[in-house]
Amino acid sequence: MKPHRVILIALLFLVLPFAAFAQADDSQVVLFHGTRGADFSTLGGELLVLSLADASIQTIPLPPQLFPVGNVISSLSLSPDHRYLAVASQNTTNESAPPILILDLQSDSCCVTVHLPWRDVAMYELGDFSPDSGRLALAWFGFIDRTTYDSTAGIMTVDAATGIILQAISMTDVRSALGLGYTPTFATIGAWREDGIRWIENCYACEPDFEGEWMIWTPETNSFTVNSGEYFSFVFGDVLPATSEMLYTGQSAQFPVSQEPAYLPIPNVVYYIHDAPIPSFTEPTTAPVIYFDENQLDISGGGHWVLDGQAVLVSPYMSSQWTLLYRDGTRQSVTVPVNSTFLLGTPNGWLTLNDDPNGAALTMYTVEGAEVLATPLGMTLPENEYVEVLDAPELGGSVTDLGAFATVEPRFPPVSETGTCPGLLPTRLTVHTLARVTPGVPNRLRANPSLDGAILTEIPGGAEIYLLQGPTCDTANGIIWWQVGYNNLIGWTAEGQGDTYFVEPFGVG
């Protein structure tokens, strides 16, 4: 690989009327650049329109009316034609949501308001605008009685030009429509495509759902599709929009894993998924592994689609060495500043926020043949400022050969899909339950399900453990392995060997 060539391009601050931004362009990336106060309230912001063709940035200041004093922006949405910008905010002091504001970027008109006048709304969450840009999808959560925490929630569409509510359906009505035995408390809204609005039931004031299968609400007919066949993972996955292919960053017990203590298993592989349910940290999967590097066992930074879906960028945690993985299995090392954060993939590369003495520097990377070019965009964001991607070219249009990734051969036996190990001791354990080491001799906790795995610690006799994954059948050594959590460590321990059990279900005397 040739040395990186760094091209310095000055940031263009062109303060233009809103009308200059009205027309969407497939070669543009639109970012929101905001400033936070000490209490995390949003003090102000602007739009950054990045041209991928010449790396110039157009800066569009936003009116102060969009940022009510003391409020935090909870979500933003930009219409496909770049005419409307919707802003939802929340007052975290009294847990209330002011009306949604819709700015007309074409006419320089601020602002149309959207609110539920008969509701005590605590939060709005914005989804996409309709493909024709005329309507906006969103979800709400509010209180009927705050003293009893009696609440209400729902999803609705509004007219972008007037703010008039076109259709609203409560979660109670959603329950009836779907035949659920419970009422969802909130909703997360996703993309609005020709066949309807992607959404998933969610929770308010608790840990929300971050992965699963989208449902579809078609507002024109007020009908629902429960199983869309489209999967999402906000934390561990990256979907290629044009093809629905997903990269999923997770931990595979068939490969060496990091020995660092962690709350969740530290990801060590990238899976490739197409038209199939996503895997999880605690259940075996048959999805093929397309990336593993024994020198980088913590790839918490994830795998990301870049180069219009022709390649994957893997960004290991706290590492200056990233990897470009092409569909034919070819790998290319990329050097970046330590603490760089991946922002989004582009048709010819990707964008990052690179660590800078004064904050985070916005940088564009492009791939030209065998050369990776880093282009600093001349903008550094201090700690109290942030960026959010509002619009970018949809990737995957040039992909013609699905699933052409070379797979990586495993190092260790797979987790048993049947929960048994033929020819070995019958297992007495069940995943996602407590167990304990039998009284007496301690059990070794290893980094991998192998006698060659590094010893992380010893689990004393009688100590409780939580079963995360298993069993893995080591027939060569006659051992049944389980992945367990113990004392803030995650590793593998033997349930038994030969005719002797070392671990038993919790509560067995």
Side-chain angles (χ1 to χ4, degrees):
M1 174 184 173
K2 298 179 180 178
H4 289 39
R5 185 176 68 200
V6 180
I7 304 174
L8 298 176
I9 297 181
L11 176 68
L12 295 177
F13 285 100
L14 303 177
V15 180
L16 301 176
F18 292 144
F21 176 56
Q23 184 63 43
D25 187 335
D26 287 341
S27 66
Q28 292 178 344
V29 171
V30 183
L31 307 170
F32 171 76
H33 170 214
T35 301
R36 292 190 179 100
D39 59 352
F40 294 99
S41 61
T42 305
L43 302 181
E46 60 191 359
L47 297 182
L48 305 177
V49 185
L50 167 64
S51 169
L52 298 176
D54 60 11
S56 64
I57 293 182
Q58 174 187 351
T59 302
I60 301 177
L62 296 175
Q65 300 97 304
L66 289 177
F67 313 102
V69 176
N71 283 15
V72 176
I73 287 184
S74 55
S75 55
L76 302 113
S77 186
L78 182 67
S79 63
D81 64 0
H82 291 181
R83 175 169 182 170
Y84 299 108
L85 174 68
V87 179
S89 57
Q90 184 183 41
N91 187 312
T92 55
T93 302
N94 58 17
E95 198 175 0
S96 64
I100 292 167
L101 300 175
I102 301 180
L103 170 66
D104 189 332
L105 292 161
Q106 185 177 51
S107 64
D108 192 5
S109 175
C110 184
C111 290
V112 168
T113 61
V114 180
H115 63 107
L116 294 166
W118 68 96
R119 308 282 190 191
D120 178 6
V121 179
M123 183 176 183
Y124 293 107
E125 180 173 307
L126 302 180
D128 277 4
F129 283 83
S130 57
D132 65 3
S133 298
R135 295 168 290 166
L136 172 67
L138 59 102
W140 85 84
F141 174 89
F143 293 100
I144 298 172
D145 187 339
R146 285 180 181 258
T147 60
T148 61
Y149 209 75
D150 188 11
S151 62
T152 179
I155 52 181
M156 64 184 185
T157 63
V158 301
D159 182 81
T162 65
I164 294 174
I165 298 172
L166 301 175
Q167 188 163 12
I169 179 169
S170 69
M171 289 293 102
T172 301
D173 292 335
V174 169
R175 170 184 178 175
S176 299
L178 300 181
L180 301 176
Y182 60 94
T183 300
T185 60
F186 197 39
T188 292
I189 306 293
W192 190 339
R193 304 190 186 280
E194 295 295 340
D195 59 348
I197 301 164
R198 275 69 185 151
W199 75 282
I200 186 71
E201 60 181 89
N202 217 325
C203 183
Y204 180 78
C206 67
E207 183 175 331
D209 291 334
F210 61 86
E211 60 185 25
E213 183 179 7
W214 289 116
M215 290 185 279
I216 299 176
W217 175 42
T218 306
E220 291 81 4
T221 59
N222 198 27
S223 59
F224 291 88
T225 301
V226 177
N227 301 115
S228 67
E230 297 179 22
Y231 296 88
F232 68 93
S233 177
F234 300 139
V235 179
F236 306 113
D238 190 20
V239 176
L240 189 62
T243 64
S244 296
E245 296 169 280
M246 179 187 284
L247 305 172
Y248 191 90
T249 307
Q251 187 183 94
S252 171
Q254 294 187 262
F255 297 87
V257 298
S258 171
Q259 300 177 33
E260 294 296 320
Y263 179 73
L264 290 173
I266 295 175
N268 62 340
V269 301
V270 176
Y271 295 102
Y272 170 82
I273 303 167
H274 187 55
D275 293 333
I278 58 178
S280 75
F281 276 125
T282 56
E283 296 177 0
T285 176
T286 58
V289 172
I290 62 171
Y291 178 86
F292 170 77
D293 186 341
E294 61 186 8
N295 297 314
Q296 295 176 324
L297 299 182
D298 184 349
I299 55 172
S300 300
H304 319 279
W305 292 111
V306 297
L307 291 176
D308 202 32
Q310 298 293 349
V312 175
L313 182 67
V314 182
S315 53
Y317 176 68
M318 293 290 290
S319 173
S320 62
Q321 294 301 313
W322 292 9
T323 300
L324 264 177
L325 172 67
Y326 294 89
R327 287 181 175 256
D328 63 1
T330 302
R331 297 188 181 192
Q332 182 177 4
S333 181
V334 180
T335 302
V336 300
V338 177
N339 289 339
S340 295
T341 301
F342 178 86
L343 202 58
L344 78 154
T346 65
N348 61 348
W350 63 91
L351 293 180
T352 66
L353 288 173
N354 289 352
D355 203 27
D356 183 272
N358 299 314
L362 190 62
T363 304
M364 181 171 72
Y365 289 83
T366 56
V367 180
E368 298 181 7
E371 197 168 15
V372 177
L373 311 179
T375 307
L377 297 177
M379 182 174 188
T380 300
L381 307 178
E383 289 185 4
N384 65 334
E385 300 186 24
Y386 65 103
V387 297
E388 180 178 336
V389 179
L390 297 183
D391 190 37
E394 185 173 90
L395 302 185
S398 66
V399 177
T400 58
D401 185 14
L402 296 181
F405 288 99
T407 58
V408 182
E409 290 299 318
R411 305 285 184 85
F412 307 112
V415 173
S416 170
E417 295 185 24
T418 63
T420 62
C421 291
L424 304 183
L425 276 172
T427 181
R428 302 184 298 179
L429 306 180
T430 305
V431 71
H432 307 319
T433 62
L434 284 173
R436 72 174 184 180
V437 174
T438 54
V441 179
N443 247 30
R444 288 174 174 172
L445 185 69
R446 296 182 180 271
N448 303 109
S450 166
L451 291 175
D452 295 328
I455 299 173
L456 305 181
T457 190
E458 288 192 340
I459 308 173
E464 297 175 20
I465 56 178
Y466 186 76
L467 303 170
L468 294 170
Q469 187 177 193
T472 286
C473 311
D474 183 357
T475 54
N477 295 293
I479 299 176
I480 305 172
W481 296 97
W482 285 84
Q483 186 187 51
V484 305
Y486 170 71
N487 198 23
N488 294 322
L489 291 173
I490 294 175
W492 292 83
T493 197
E495 178 185 0
Q497 182 178 29
D499 57 1
T500 304
Y501 287 101
F502 307 142
V503 176
E504 61 190 9
F506 181 65
V508 174

